[in-house]
Amino acid sequence: MTDGALAVALPHRRWNALTGDWVLVSPQRTQRPWQGQVERTAGAQRPSYDPDCYLCPGNLRAGGERNPAYSSTLVFTNDFPALLEDTPGEPAAEPASPLLAAEPARGTCRVVCFSPRHDLTLAEMPAPAVRGVVDLWAAQTEELGRDHRWVQVFENKGAVMGCSNPHPHGQIWAVAALPTEPAAEDLRQREHLARTGRLLLLDYAALESERGERVVAANDQWLAVVPWWATWPFETLLVPRRPVRRLPDLEPAERDALAELLGRLLARYDNLFQVSFPYSMGWHGAPFGGGDDAHWQLHAHFYPPLLRSATIRKFMVGYEMLAEAQRDLTPEQAAARLRELPETHFRQPGRS
Ligand code: H2U
Ligand code: ZN
């Protein structure tokens, strides 16, 4: 069956070439005209400085330390880390039972403030400030990659994603062992290179660039698409158009281009339902530690939960939990909706 036949009305499953997972797509359920109302939520105007915020410059954190009077970005070790560097012990040579396998987890957790301004998000920050965040992500990845196999840069945005504070911030967790998601991507990318001699995500980017139907935004260096296999309604994948293994490998011009593309993509996201669009996002690049990583291509995933309005979200529940991911809105429809929107943020009509 061709994808042209699939994209119309019938239920079908799509394969995620990056993880090997499948997603059930039920486009016949969206043949009805668009009925989702756009509820403009109050979009509470926040102050640029909040004396009670534990991430604002000069303020006291919950752990007792005081933030410096930072003027661009700030990184600190999480006061309540999920991982410890000095966890003792080795995996038991013979576990009591293979059904009770475990291993010690070692690592570190950092918090990254994107801006001293309490009221800005990446979507509203000027491009040079977003470039500063890109540089910070890259520098942290390089530093933590010296003694951790995997460095996970991510952002939880919005209360609906469990974000604890509206001050623009993300996190970085660096760990000794390759976690589940990147391990799946490692396997699929390795297989693709072995089979074709080419990089999976560069083949994919070329295909999407040529087709255009799932592209949301692009520039000479980067492509943002709703991937063929998207599970979240407005999920996107960001890929550089040349081979790049990790964030620190990005050239200055590519970092500027990324900041530019992020501004455009995130403005579209916020404009969709006229709210600060919640999501979890994060970067995947080649693991550290000296193994064979020729098959890896750097990329970012954005996983936003909203479906029809600022208050109607997609739940990954019954069938998703027990069988596999499912969606009604097709990735092509989602991309078309995002493409229709302006790239000027609704709160900043003057933003260039
Ligand atoms: P979110 O990105 O989900 O909002 O998490 C913020 C992190 O900030 C959270 O992991 C940490 C929390 O442990 N934190 C501090 O390290 N110090 C503080 O003073 C409060 C929050
Ligand atoms: Zn703040």
Side-chain angles (χ1 to χ4, degrees), residues 76-96:
F76 61 87
T77 299
N78 198 310
D79 297 307
F80 311 95
L83 293 146
L84 301 172
E85 286 287 20
D86 48 6
T87 307
E90 293 300 323
E94 280 296 319

Side-chain angles (χ1 to χ4, degrees), residues 54 61-63 76-80 111 156 162-165 169-171:
Y54 54 74
R61 294 205 305 271
F76 61 87
T77 299
N78 198 310
D79 297 307
F80 311 95
V111 178
N156 296 323
C163 179
S164 58
N165 181 329
H169 69 282
Q171 299 193 44

Side-chain angles (χ1 to χ4, degrees), residues 46-57 59 70 115-119 165-168:
R46 294 200 300 274
S48 60
Y49 168 76
D50 176 352
D52 295 324
C53 168
Y54 54 74
L55 299 180
C56 272
N59 289 2
Y70 65 102
S115 165
R117 288 269 304 265
H118 186 78
D119 57 334
N165 181 329
H167 194 112

Side-chain angles (χ1 to χ4, degrees), residues 2-348:
T2 67
D3 63 320
L6 283 177
V8 279
L10 299 172
H12 59 273
R13 295 167 79 216
R14 295 188 187 193
W15 191 58
N16 183 336
L18 196 52
T19 61
D21 294 335
W22 289 84
V23 51
L24 171 62
V25 186
S26 312
Q28 80 285 0
R29 297 175 77 185
T30 53
Q31 289 309 296
R32 65 191 189 280
W34 180 255
Q35 292 177 326
Q37 70 278 37
V38 176
E39 295 169 37
R40 293 188 192 216
T41 50
Q45 205 52 47
R46 294 200 300 274
S48 60
Y49 168 76
D50 176 352
D52 295 324
C53 168
Y54 54 74
L55 299 180
C56 272
N59 289 2
L60 210 52
R61 294 205 305 271
E65 262 191 71
R66 188 171 292 283
N67 294 324
Y70 65 102
S71 57
S72 53
T73 54
L74 173 70
V75 188
F76 61 87
T77 299
N78 198 310
D79 297 307
F80 311 95
L83 293 146
L84 301 172
E85 286 287 20
D86 48 6
T87 307
E90 293 300 323
E94 280 296 319
S97 159
L99 300 181
L100 300 174
E103 62 181 24
R106 290 193 193 90
T108 192
C109 299
R110 293 181 178 176
V111 178
V112 179
C113 297
F114 296 155
S115 165
R117 288 269 304 265
H118 186 78
D119 57 334
L120 292 184
T121 63
L122 281 179
E124 294 169 90
M125 284 164 58
V130 178
R131 163 69 199 264
V133 174
V134 171
D135 287 341
L136 184 75
W137 284 337
Q140 287 290 308
T141 301
E142 184 162 36
E143 180 192 318
L144 290 165
R146 283 188 209 120
D147 43 16
H148 298 88
R149 179 142 170 76
W150 185 252
V151 182
Q152 185 59 61
V153 171
F154 67 100
E155 176 189 7
N156 296 323
K157 179 169 172 249
V160 69
M161 295 311 291
C163 179
S164 58
N165 181 329
H167 194 112
H169 69 282
Q171 299 193 44
I172 304 177
W173 294 18
V175 292
L178 194 61
T180 309
E181 284 287 315
E185 294 189 354
D186 184 75
L187 177 71
R188 300 296 161 177
Q189 291 181 98
R190 190 186 297 276
E191 280 176 359
H192 188 89
L193 181 68
R195 196 172 64 250
T196 66
R198 297 185 307 270
L199 293 176
L200 190 160
L201 281 181
L202 280 190
D203 275 0
Y204 181 65
L207 187 69
E208 292 293 22
S209 192
E210 189 193 311
R211 299 266 178 128
E213 59 189 336
R214 282 172 293 276
V215 174
V216 176
N219 57 29
D220 286 348
Q221 288 91 348
W222 291 86
L223 190 68
V225 301
V226 179
W228 169 250
W229 53 76
T231 59
W232 293 96
F234 294 95
E235 176 176 333
T236 51
L237 175 73
L238 255 72
V239 196
R241 292 171 182 268
R242 71 149 184 114
V244 179
R245 286 188 199 167
R246 305 182 181 94
L247 279 166
D249 301 329
L250 290 171
E251 302 288 350
E254 290 168 325
R255 296 177 185 210
D256 282 339
L258 172 58
E260 192 259 353
L261 193 78
L262 278 172
R264 290 165 50 203
L265 172 68
L266 297 180
R268 287 176 185 276
Y269 268 165
D270 281 10
N271 289 342
L272 182 61
F273 301 129
Q274 308 256 308
V275 285
S276 186
F277 205 61
Y279 55 72
S280 277
M281 68 78 63
W283 287 96
H284 286 161
F288 290 90
D292 166 27
D293 58 12
H295 50 291
W296 266 91
Q297 173 71 352
L298 175 73
H299 60 279
H301 298 280
F302 280 82
Y303 299 133
L306 294 185
L307 175 60
R308 275 202 293 273
S309 72
T311 53
I312 301 180
R313 62 163 296 173
K314 159 86 180 164
F315 286 99
M316 290 285 185
V317 287
Y319 193 79
E320 282 91 348
M321 285 178 148
L322 292 153
E324 69 191 10
Q326 186 271 343
R327 62 183 294 139
D328 297 344
L329 183 76
T330 66
E332 296 72 37
Q333 290 168 329
R337 292 209 59 212
L338 289 169
R339 271 199 309 270
E340 281 164 13
L341 298 163
E343 290 187 335
T344 301
H345 195 278
F346 72 93
R347 276 206 280 258
Q348 279 175 284

